[in-house]
C-alpha cells in the first residue's frame, strides 16, 4: 500500500506517483511539486541550502515566501 503521493508537473502535465514505504525520489530543480500523505507516515525532505530559488505556491504550515 502506498504511503504518500508525489505530484509534479512534467512537460506541462500533472504526473502523480504513489510512493511505498522506504522509497525515495529525486525532484530536479525547478520542478513544481507537492507531496501528500495517503496514510500516517514520515516524509523527509532534503534540500540544498540555496533557498533563494524556492517559490511557495501554497503552504499549509504558514511559512511565508522568502522573496
Amino acid at each position: 500500500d502506498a504511503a504518500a503521493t508525489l505530484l509534479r508537473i512534467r512537460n506541462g502535465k500533472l504526473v502523480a506517483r504513489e510512493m511505498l514505504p522506504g522509497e525515495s525520489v529525486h525532484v530536479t530543480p525547478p520542478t513544481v511539486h507537492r507531496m501528500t500523505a495517503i496514510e500516517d507516515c514520515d516524509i523527509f525532505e532534503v534540500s540544498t541550502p540555496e533557498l533563494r530559488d524556492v517559490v511557495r505556491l501554497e503552504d499549509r504550515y504558514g511559512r511565508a515566501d522568502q522573496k
Side-chain angles (χ1 to χ4, degrees), residues 15-36:
V15 176
R17 175 182 174 214
E18 291 190 354
M19 298 181 65
L20 299 173
E23 282 193 299
S24 64
V25 65
H26 179 254
V27 179
T28 56
T31 303
V32 176
H33 64 284
R34 179 178 201 151
M35 293 193 77
T36 303

Side-chain angles (χ1 to χ4, degrees), residues 2-58:
T5 298
L6 170 68
L7 301 173
R8 62 180 158 185
I9 299 190
R10 179 180 285 163
N11 299 325
K13 295 182 180 179
L14 182 65
V15 176
R17 175 182 174 214
E18 291 190 354
M19 298 181 65
L20 299 173
E23 282 193 299
S24 64
V25 65
H26 179 254
V27 179
T28 56
T31 303
V32 176
H33 64 284
R34 179 178 201 151
M35 293 193 77
T36 303
I38 296 173
E39 59 185 50
D40 189 24
C41 65
D42 294 317
I43 298 173
F44 297 97
E45 181 177 13
V46 180
S47 181
T48 67
E50 304 299 324
L51 297 177
R52 292 183 305 269
D53 62 351
V54 173
V55 177
R56 295 195 192 287
L57 302 176
E58 183 180 354

